């Protein structure tokens, strides 16, 4: 074997044995529905798989309309355009539908939650995270409305499949006559007070990206109770064609519709959502038991009111168990000390054993691309307090604190109990 193919071979072997953060779990039905699309020649953005998963999503989640799209990001983009049209009367023939407008957004989330605001020329203002569920702080949101009273749109995500304080967020939005877009990309199947996430927003979205709780390899959906909005999203996602004999366009169009082949994968996965959630819950619980005795806690949730889908298991290191460490924009350094550790040491150790963890999602207000954007915490302008926690104050930038002390553990549904025990053992050793 020459060196190049030897390296490639070793790479493939490493991938086979790798314990992933979260990878697709297939069951067989996916292939059957994909094959059906092939054999009936519905190799297009029209077909039975699409119809069927829209029906399944709407009945499972409990929302009248579900529109299957090419990604969760596409769904968010259309949600933002629908909201802008309704709020500001902006013409759907235009780009920049949020030009000159602020939108309050979750801060500790994946970039896809907030980028569509920029696609439409708006300015995302980030709302700090609360410690109870690691999601948007309703008190911070209330404060932001006092600071920027003209704002009419909020985008809130449910991080790692843990429902945020969505009823309170909804109430703050209603008080200030704002629309709510709920980003349930990571939280499909999770519920709050018995209601599924994805039903609290005026517009909500889910994702079928490869790493999510169920997948289509890619894909997403827009959810709404409003029939005209669903109809518009369908039209905009298929290039905004008018009912004319020729291609007639009165509004801006997008190629955002889901493929019927992708929908076949989603259709095959849907029946396994419950068991995926059950597996993820077992993983979470095994970590919680296994890490007992260490100076760490699991990502928290409101056990009284919410049922997470446990998509990713995360842990947070106690403040006084953090070893000395620094992060630049693109790398990290730490000094090991007995009894202490830090996320980067643990991630490095896991990676050494071919196991994939990840730092907690880096907050948007810390991202260079959004450095000039507003950031509001529950008790002030977060930027002034960003380093407060290092001075021992409790009134700090919560997102930055969780980012510095937290990490996502390998949470793959196919991880064996033995592999998970190994993860736990590695974490333990980092604190020795
Ligand atoms: C994955 C994800 C998205 C984007 O979904 P895609 O289908 O990958 O475009 C949006 N928001 C959050 C919070 C996500 O995790």
């Amino acid at each position: 074997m020459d060196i190049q193919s030897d390296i490639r071979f070793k790479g493939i072997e490493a991938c086979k044995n790798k314990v992933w953060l979260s990878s697709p779990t297939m069951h067989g039905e996916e292939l059957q529905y994909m094959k059906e699309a092939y054999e009936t020649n519905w190799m297009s953005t029209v077909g039975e798989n699409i119809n069927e998963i829209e029906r399944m999503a709407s009945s499972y989640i409990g929302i009248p309309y579900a529109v299957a799209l090419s990604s969760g990001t596409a769904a968010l983009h259309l949600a933002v355009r629908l909201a802008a049209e309704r709020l500001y009367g902006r013409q759907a023939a235009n780009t920049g539908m949020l030009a000159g407008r602020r939108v309050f957004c979750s801060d500790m989330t994946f970039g896809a939650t907030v980028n569509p605001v920029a696609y439409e020329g708006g300015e995302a203002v980030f709302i700090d995270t609360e410690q109870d569920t690691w999601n948007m702080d309703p008190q911070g949101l209330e404060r932001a409305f006092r600071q920027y009273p003209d704002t009419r749109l909020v985008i809130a995500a449910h991080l790692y499949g843990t429902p945020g304080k969505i009823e309170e967020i909804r109430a703050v939005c209603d008080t200030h006559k704002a629309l709510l877009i709920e980003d349930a990309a990571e939280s499909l199947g999770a519920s709050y007070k018995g209601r599924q996430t994805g039903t609290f927003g005026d517009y909500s979205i889910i994702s079928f990206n490869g790493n999510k709780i169920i997948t289509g390899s890619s894909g997403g959906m827009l959810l709404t109770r409003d029939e005209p909005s669903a109809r518009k999203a369908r039209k905009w996602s298929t290039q905004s064609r008018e009912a004319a004999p020729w291609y007639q366009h009165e509004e801006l169009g997008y190629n955002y519709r889901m493929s019927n082949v992708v929908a076949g994968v989603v259709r095959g996965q849907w029946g396994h959502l419950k068991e995926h959630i059950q597996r993820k819950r077992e993983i979470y619980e095994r970590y919680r038991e296994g890490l007992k005795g260490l100076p760490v806690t699991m990502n928290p949730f409101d056990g009284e009111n919410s049922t997470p889908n446990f998509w990713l298991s995360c842990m947070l290191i106690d403040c006084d168990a953090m070893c000395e460490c620094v992060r630049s924009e693109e790398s990290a350094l730490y000094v090991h000390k007995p009894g202490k550790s830090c996320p980067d040491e643990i991630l490095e150790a896991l990676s050494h054993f071919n196991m994939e963890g990840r730092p907690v999602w880096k907050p948007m207000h810390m991202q260079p691309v959004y450095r000039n954007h507003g950031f509001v915490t529950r008790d002030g302008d977060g930027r002034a307090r960003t380093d407060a926690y290092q001075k021992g104050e409790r009134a700090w930038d919560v997102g930055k604190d969780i980012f510095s002390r937290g990490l996502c553990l390998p949470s793959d549904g196919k991880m064996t109990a033995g592999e998970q025990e190994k993860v736990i053992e590695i974490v333990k050793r980092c604190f020795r």
Side-chain angles (χ1 to χ4, degrees):
M1 219 183 298
D2 65 68
I3 286 182
Q4 275 309 315
S5 59
D6 185 42
I7 289 172
R8 213 170 302 132
F9 178 73
K10 281 188 178 143
I12 291 165
E13 283 303 295
C15 280
K16 263 201 272 181
N17 302 322
K18 186 163 176 162
V19 177
W20 298 94
L21 183 70
S22 183
S23 73
T25 301
M26 292 294 126
H27 302 275
E29 290 101 312
E30 298 87 351
L31 202 55
Q32 176 200 323
Y33 291 120
M34 286 165 75
K35 208 167 147 222
E36 228 170 84
Y38 180 92
E39 283 167 352
T40 56
N41 206 36
W42 288 104
M43 300 296 284
S44 172
T45 51
V46 185
E48 202 42 45
N49 288 334
I50 298 176
N51 302 341
E52 196 50 31
I53 64 162
E54 287 183 342
R55 196 194 57 72
M56 285 156 102
S58 136
S59 94
Y60 179 93
I61 296 166
I63 191 117
Y65 303 100
V67 182
L69 299 166
S70 54
S71 69
T73 309
L76 279 159
H77 187 192
L78 295 186
V80 157
R81 285 182 66 86
L82 286 165
E85 190 187 56
R86 190 157 137 200
L87 286 166
Y88 308 122
R90 293 273 162 94
Q91 294 292 313
N94 296 339
T95 58
M97 286 177 87
L98 287 174
R101 305 291 183 173
R102 288 193 182 87
V103 179
F104 297 145
C105 297
S106 286
D107 179 55
M108 204 167 76
T109 183
F110 187 51
T113 306
V114 308
N115 288 338
V117 173
Y119 300 167
E120 291 302 327
E123 189 202 335
V125 170
F126 304 114
I127 311 299
D128 198 14
T129 307
E130 39 83 4
Q131 276 147 328
D132 304 337
T133 77
W134 292 9
N135 283 300
M136 181 187 278
D137 185 346
Q139 287 184 46
L141 181 62
E142 179 56 47
R143 197 166 199 295
F145 275 112
R146 273 179 269 138
Q147 197 168 335
Y148 305 102
D150 294 339
T151 307
R152 289 287 173 275
L153 183 57
V154 174
I155 307 180
H158 302 284
L159 201 72
Y160 303 137
T162 301
K165 298 180 176 175
I166 194 68
E167 239 181 34
E168 286 174 59
I169 290 170
R170 181 76 249 186
V172 175
C173 290
D174 292 345
T175 303
H176 297 277
K177 301 190 166 42
L179 294 181
L180 174 64
I181 295 174
E182 192 189 4
D183 179 353
E186 301 177 2
S187 68
L188 176 58
S191 59
Y192 188 84
K193 295 192 181 167
R195 230 172 103 186
Q196 289 281 310
T197 59
T199 60
F200 293 87
D202 296 282
Y203 306 105
S204 303
I205 75 102
I206 51 177
S207 164
F208 303 112
N209 188 312
N211 65 1
K212 299 293 185 333
I213 192 104
I214 59 169
T215 184
S217 72
S218 66
M221 267 189 191
L222 177 83
L223 312 171
T224 181
R225 296 176 194 290
D226 184 47
E227 195 273 334
S229 293
R231 195 156 12 96
K232 268 182 208 167
R234 274 206 182 90
K235 178 183 169 193
W236 296 350
S237 73
T238 48
Q239 306 289 17
S240 291
R241 282 147 40 180
E242 301 296 334
W246 41 80
Y247 285 140
Q248 175 84 5
H249 304 289
E250 292 170 12
E251 297 174 319
L252 210 54
Y254 297 84
N255 183 5
Y256 279 175
R257 194 71 164 133
M258 184 186 277
S259 145
N260 192 47
V261 180
V262 165
V265 184
V266 176
R267 189 175 175 185
Q269 288 260 288
W270 203 282
H272 297 276
L273 174 57
K274 249 192 170 156
E275 96 201 38
H276 284 197
I277 294 174
Q278 182 52 29
R279 260 308 281 142
K280 296 278 191 177
R281 176 196 282 274
E282 287 161 13
I283 289 169
Y284 182 93
E285 282 167 359
R286 192 185 289 272
Y287 276 133
R288 196 174 50 191
E289 288 311 303
L291 297 172
K292 268 189 183 151
L294 290 179
V296 305
T297 48
M298 296 296 291
N299 51 324
F301 62 93
D302 173 359
E304 213 168 290
N305 293 310
S306 78
T307 312
N309 71 6
F310 300 96
W311 176 55
L312 291 189
S313 288
C314 307
M315 55 171 252
L316 189 69
I317 300 173
D318 293 353
C319 287
D320 50 13
M322 285 284 290
C323 67
E324 237 179 283
C325 54
V326 287
R327 276 174 176 166
S328 69
E329 287 299 344
E330 290 176 3
S331 61
L333 285 173
Y334 58 84
V335 184
H336 178 79
K337 221 180 184 178
K340 299 191 175 197
S341 189
C342 66
D344 297 303
E345 181 180 30
I346 295 169
L347 291 169
E348 210 175 278
L350 289 172
S351 145
H352 188 76
F353 288 93
N354 206 17
M355 295 171 151
E356 185 187 34
R358 194 162 293 169
V360 164
W361 293 186
K362 184 172 179 173
M364 290 301 118
H365 79 278
M366 295 173 70
Q367 300 287 358
V369 66
Y370 288 122
R371 68 186 151 256
N372 297 324
H373 288 233
F375 173 52
V376 183
T377 66
R378 70 162 62 183
D379 58 359
D381 172 10
R383 296 215 181 260
R385 294 186 160 269
T386 286
D387 295 312
Y389 89 94
Q390 284 167 341
K391 300 189 199 101
E393 293 175 33
R394 294 297 296 186
W396 55 39
D397 168 344
V398 175
K400 183 179 180 183
D401 178 45
I402 295 173
F403 175 63
S404 69
R405 296 192 287 125
L407 69 137
C408 308
L409 295 160
S411 305
D412 194 59
K414 295 175 296 316
M415 175 169 59
T416 64
E419 285 167 334
Q420 199 179 346
E421 289 306 324
K422 200 165 141 191
V423 176
I424 292 166
E425 185 54 34
I426 291 166
V427 175
K428 282 183 179 164
R429 281 191 200 178
C430 286
F431 283 98
R432 284 205 193 123

